[in-house]
């Protein structure tokens, strides 16, 4: 079982709709959860961090965490063509400081 | 505030040659990380510095890889001698090391070994 799993996509969403990205993780002692956005050929850009169960909202982005189910999600409201990118789910455990990444989900917003 | 910078952006070398990658972290960030993404795989951790000390180098593939962080500022990652499987994108990240450890990534160095 991979440590962080994501559907590779591509996920196609019409402009203006809600994009929903999902991620599961295997290590129960994980404590910090991150969503990075990566445009082709660019660096991963941190867009959301979440540490407690529940929802965290920042602008058009909402991160959701369910530790019992070992599940993290990212919702993007009012999707824009500029949101088209690969979204990386990443997890940090209490054991050390390294981040473990999923392979990423390619999101394509259809104009 | 300047972000994490890396040099060079691209490097093409032949098998057996040596390459040195450089990373300058965000000013004031004591924690510096190296990660690598090979084709078709996820980004994977290589090692972690706290100031000038190696905190965790469990991800380093083998002894052909040598990382240094002189004076706790910039870091270098040397590959000697390079092999074909070393090709990939090498990312550097830095953090302030607070409790939740948000890491900020540089643009990466794309290494191609022919």
């Amino acid at each position: 079982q991979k440590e962080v799993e994501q559907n590779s996509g591509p996920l196609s969403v019409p402009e203006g709709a809600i994009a929903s990205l999902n991620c599961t993780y295997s290590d129960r002692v994980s404590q910090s959860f991150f969503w990075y956005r990566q445009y082709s050929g660019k660096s991963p850009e941190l867009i959301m961090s979440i540490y407690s169960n529940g929802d965290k909202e920042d602008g058009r982005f909402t991160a959701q965490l369910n530790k019992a189910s070992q599940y993290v999600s990212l919702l993007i409201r009012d999707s824009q063509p500029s949101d088209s990118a690969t979204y990386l789910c990443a997890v940090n455990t209490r054991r050390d400081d390294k981040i473990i990444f999923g392979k990423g989900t390619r999101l394509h917003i259809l104009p | 505030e300047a972000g994490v910078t890396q040099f060079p952006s691209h490097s093409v070398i032949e098998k057996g040659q040596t390459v040195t990658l450089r990373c300058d972290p965000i000013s004031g960030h004591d924690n510096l990380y190296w990660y690598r993404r090979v084709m078709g795989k996820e980004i994977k951790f290589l090692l972690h510095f706290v100031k000038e000390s190696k905190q965790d180098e469990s991800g380093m593939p083998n002894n052909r890889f040598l990382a240094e962080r002189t004076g706790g500022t910039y870091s270098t990652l040397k590959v000697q001698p390079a092999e074909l499987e070393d090709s990939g994108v090498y990312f550097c990240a830095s953090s302030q090391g607070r409790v939740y450890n948000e890491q900020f990534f540089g643009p990466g160095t794309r290494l191609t070994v022919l």
Side-chain angles (χ1 to χ4, degrees), chain B residues 52-82:
Chain B
E52 68 276 7
S53 300
K54 290 177 186 174
Q55 182 76 14
D56 179 358
E57 52 185 331
S58 61
M60 294 288 263
N62 49 61
N63 59 10
R64 295 186 293 102
F65 289 74
L66 175 64
E68 295 181 322
R69 190 181 183 192
T70 307
T73 55
Y74 70 91
S75 174
T76 58
L77 179 64
K78 180 189 290 188
V79 185
Q80 179 183 29

Side-chain angles (χ1 to χ4, degrees), chain A residues 36 38 43 49 51 97 99 103, chain B residues 35 37 40 101-103 106:
Chain A
Y36 286 83
Q38 188 175 24
S43 61
S49 307
Y51 315 110
D97 289 333
I99 285 179
K103 291 181 75 172
Chain B
Y35 292 85
R37 186 170 200 166
N101 197 27
E102 291 182 340
Q103 298 181 20

Side-chain angles (χ1 to χ4, degrees), chain A residues 9-102:
Chain A
L11 174 65
S12 294
V13 174
E15 184 176 356
I18 296 175
S20 177
L21 303 161
N22 304 314
C23 169
T24 58
Y25 60 94
S26 60
D27 193 338
R28 285 193 171 276
V29 300
S30 300
Q31 68 165 357
S32 305
F33 306 86
F34 309 99
W35 283 99
Y36 286 83
R37 177 176 63 198
Q38 188 175 24
Y39 294 111
S40 181
K42 301 295 184 181
S43 61
E45 176 191 2
L46 180 64
I47 56 171
M48 288 292 282
S49 307
I50 188 166
Y51 315 110
S52 305
N53 278 327
D55 295 359
K56 178 182 177 183
E57 186 175 320
D58 184 358
R60 296 187 296 112
F61 299 102
T62 299
Q64 300 174 316
L65 174 61
N66 183 326
K67 289 187 177 181
S69 300
Q70 294 175 237
Y71 178 90
V72 194
S73 65
L74 179 70
L75 301 177
I76 306 174
R77 288 182 298 283
D78 187 23
S79 298
Q80 303 296 311
S82 59
D83 295 327
S84 297
T86 296
Y87 288 80
L88 304 169
C89 175
V91 172
N92 178 222
T93 73
R94 291 195 187 97
R95 296 190 189 92
D96 49 45
D97 289 333
K98 66 185 176 189
I99 285 179
I100 299 170
F101 282 88

Side-chain angles (χ1 to χ4, degrees), chain B residues 31-46:
Chain B
N31 293 270
L32 186 150
Y33 307 82
W34 284 98
Y35 292 85
R36 177 175 74 171
R37 186 170 200 166
V38 298
M39 184 73 74
K41 301 288 188 180
E42 63 271 25
I43 297 173
K44 287 203 169 180
F45 168 82
L46 296 178

Side-chain angles (χ1 to χ4, degrees), chain B residues 86-99:
Chain B
D86 301 333
S87 295
V89 181
Y90 290 76
F91 291 105
C92 177
S94 72
S95 78
Q96 290 183 310
R98 302 267 173 83
V99 175

